[in-house]
Amino acid sequence: MNTATEKVRTDVPPEEVARRIAEFRQAMAERLAHAVVVYHEPHQPCPWGCGLRILGIDFHLEKLIADESQRSKMLRDWWTGPGLVARCPRCRRHVAFEVLQKRTVPTVDSSISVLPDNWHEIALVYQRG
């Protein structure tokens, strides 16, 4: 018998979680939804190890990127592609900010969407450290 105080436990297989995330991301890309993210542990620290912890970002691409076609490409890259590359506000090294994680970017090439160096002054960046 379920009561309001009992916890209902449902186990969702990892494959189903991955499928749902992919479906959500595709829907957001089709709608060109705003690029926003909340990072949970262990994905909050800068992947370069500088100590800055970014907990969440609202990129405000509409304020950062004037060209609509470039902004649309960035939104697709955000939701279904390799993410957005920007310099860490602290160590200034390139980081790929992705929907689920961050990763280091040792070299930047033209296939990657790169934000302007002042991105963190325009975006809403929730950080610690």
Side-chain angles (χ1 to χ4, degrees):
M1 174 182 194
N2 260 340
T3 68
T5 57
E6 284 183 55
K7 285 191 174 188
V8 176
R9 182 176 166 99
T10 58
D11 291 321
V12 180
E15 305 81 31
E16 179 62 12
V17 171
R19 186 194 66 75
R20 291 178 189 180
I21 290 171
E23 187 176 279
F24 171 78
R25 290 176 72 175
Q26 183 62 42
M28 294 300 99
E30 289 170 7
R31 290 168 179 76
L32 296 176
H34 289 283
V36 296
V37 65
V38 174
Y39 291 111
H40 299 280
E41 284 297 341
H43 305 292
Q44 291 176 346
C46 172
W48 289 104
C50 75
L52 181 64
R53 301 172 72 76
I54 293 181
L55 287 63
I57 306 168
D58 184 343
F59 286 98
H60 285 291
L61 293 180
E62 70 281 0
K63 295 177 183 177
L64 282 167
I65 309 299
D67 182 82
E68 189 174 336
S69 64
Q70 184 183 8
R71 192 169 55 247
S72 294
K73 178 193 180 311
M74 286 185 160
L75 284 170
R76 285 189 300 277
D77 284 352
W78 171 251
W79 288 113
T80 60
L84 301 173
V85 172
R87 292 186 181 275
C88 169
R90 177 175 287 162
C91 70
R92 309 301 295 155
R93 296 179 82 177
H94 284 105
V95 173
F97 292 93
E98 300 173 358
V99 172
L100 298 175
Q101 65 183 356
K102 300 175 205 145
R103 62 181 169 80
T104 61
V105 179
T107 57
V108 176
D109 64 54
S110 62
S111 68
I112 300 173
S113 289
V114 180
L115 297 177
D117 285 348
N118 70 335
W119 74 275
H120 62 282
E121 297 169 2
I122 296 165
L124 291 176
V125 181
Y126 302 95
Q127 61 189 32
R128 207 181 310 155

